[in-house]
Amino acid sequence: MTGIWGIVNVTPDSFSDGGRYVDPERAIAHGIALRAAGATVLDVGGESTRPGAERVDASVEQQRVLPVIEQLAARGIPVSIDTHNASTAVAAVRVGARIVNDVSGGLADPEMFGAIAETSADVAIGHWRGPSFDMYAHAEYRRVSREVAGELRERVSEAAAAGIAPARLIVDPGIGFAKAGVQNWELLRGLDDITALGHRVLIGTSRKRFLAESLDGAAEVDESRRDLATAVTSALAVRYGAWAVRVHDVAATRDALAIAHAWEG
Ligand code: PMM
């Protein structure tokens, strides 16, 4: 079954929903609503990765996410923790997270893979070339999907060397992370290079700037239009081999996937 990861950002500053769910009760209620709408996993994050974002202290991050993860996991909902920090990953698994989603693929914190190896959690390894504040400085590629696949392969080897079994790995080409504008489309067009790695593939296009740019050539496109665009890219990503998609508007993507499945019979 196709996975739909519902995004629960417990942050004051995420680019699309910053501040809306920083109160734990609201974040929990939002997570429960996303689950009811069809999310297979709730991806809880306490640090924004939007372009230009500054790092937050791991203790602040944990204060934000741990109560939310604990409550959602206690309801039997599969939860992933969206973090760069090994200490946050371990604390989150301790309160019930089953997956660690590290957009930096273990590069931001050298302790990450070793720490995950000690747990039974799966890990989503993102393609990353540096922190959000200057990630576009690294957006240079000759063939983006090939280079991203090659760099992900190195991260996968590192995870395996740290003792994480290959079956626990998920790879994510990191749409928008050190990729500008059309590079994201080139990467999606070359998704075969990523699925050829042989791991489950997670794709996150939700509300990202490159979608808005393709609609109006401008970043000022409202949320509902970005959600519709996300539903389309998510259905296409699944058509081209993605195992799961990470989205804000779970209901729209659920419907898009249902229609795509109906087409395929
Ligand atoms: N994108 C964001 C945050 N976390 N995790 C994965 N695995 N893949 C992504 O593409 C990804 C992510 C940035 O989006 P947000 O600030 O709206 O959550």
Side-chain angles (χ1 to χ4, degrees):
M1 194 185 75
T2 302
I4 305 178
W5 289 26
I7 300 169
V8 181
N9 281 326
V10 197
T11 56
D13 61 343
S14 280
F15 78 88
S16 77
D17 54 3
R20 234 178 272 172
Y21 310 112
V22 75
D23 165 45
E25 293 309 319
R26 290 181 71 179
I28 292 161
H30 183 56
I32 292 169
L34 292 181
R35 175 68 167 175
T40 56
V41 169
L42 296 177
D43 189 38
V44 179
E47 178 179 6
S48 172
T49 52
R50 79 185 151 75
E54 294 295 334
R55 300 297 312 268
V56 302
D57 198 72
S59 64
V60 173
E61 183 189 28
Q62 289 168 32
Q63 278 166 24
R64 290 177 185 167
V65 296
L66 295 181
V68 176
I69 292 172
E70 188 165 28
Q71 288 292 316
L72 294 172
R75 288 171 163 78
I77 305 173
V79 173
S80 85
I81 169 66
D82 186 346
T83 187
H84 293 112
N85 295 312
S87 63
T88 301
V90 169
V93 172
R94 213 170 277 142
V95 297
R98 298 187 203 172
I99 305 172
V100 177
N101 172 24
D102 180 359
V103 297
S104 83
L107 284 170
D109 185 340
E111 311 284 315
M112 183 61 100
F113 287 155
I116 295 171
E118 301 289 312
T119 73
S120 59
D122 285 357
V123 54
I125 294 179
H127 176 262
W128 191 81
R129 283 186 169 179
S132 297
F133 69 83
D134 75 343
M135 64 182 172
Y136 293 131
H138 308 288
E140 277 186 32
Y141 302 88
R142 277 187 304 278
R143 242 188 95 182
V144 61
S145 58
R146 287 269 172 89
E147 286 169 64
V148 167
E151 289 167 35
L152 278 174
R153 191 178 293 112
E154 286 172 22
R155 305 314 305 149
V156 161
S157 303
E158 187 121 331
I164 306 174
R168 293 168 59 193
L169 303 179
I170 299 158
V171 293
D172 182 329
I175 299 296
F177 290 91
K179 289 114 198 148
V182 296
Q183 290 171 337
N184 294 291
W185 293 118
E186 286 164 19
L187 180 52
L188 289 168
R189 227 172 273 134
L191 201 56
D192 279 355
D193 290 326
I194 312 300
T195 56
L197 294 170
H199 295 282
R200 293 170 286 174
V201 174
L202 172 66
I203 297 287
T205 61
S206 198
R207 295 183 184 165
K208 287 183 179 172
R209 185 198 303 244
F210 80 109
L211 297 178
E213 288 169 352
S214 292
L215 289 173
D216 271 353
E220 294 83 31
V221 170
D222 69 31
E223 203 168 276
S224 68
R225 293 181 71 200
R226 288 181 187 233
D227 283 333
L228 179 57
T230 301
V232 175
T233 50
S234 294
L236 287 168
V238 169
R239 171 74 183 75
Y240 287 96
W243 160 81
V245 290
R246 178 184 180 277
V247 299
H248 298 86
D249 182 349
V250 168
T253 284
R254 176 204 61 204
D255 287 353
L257 291 177
I259 296 303
H261 287 155
W263 176 300
E264 293 184 339

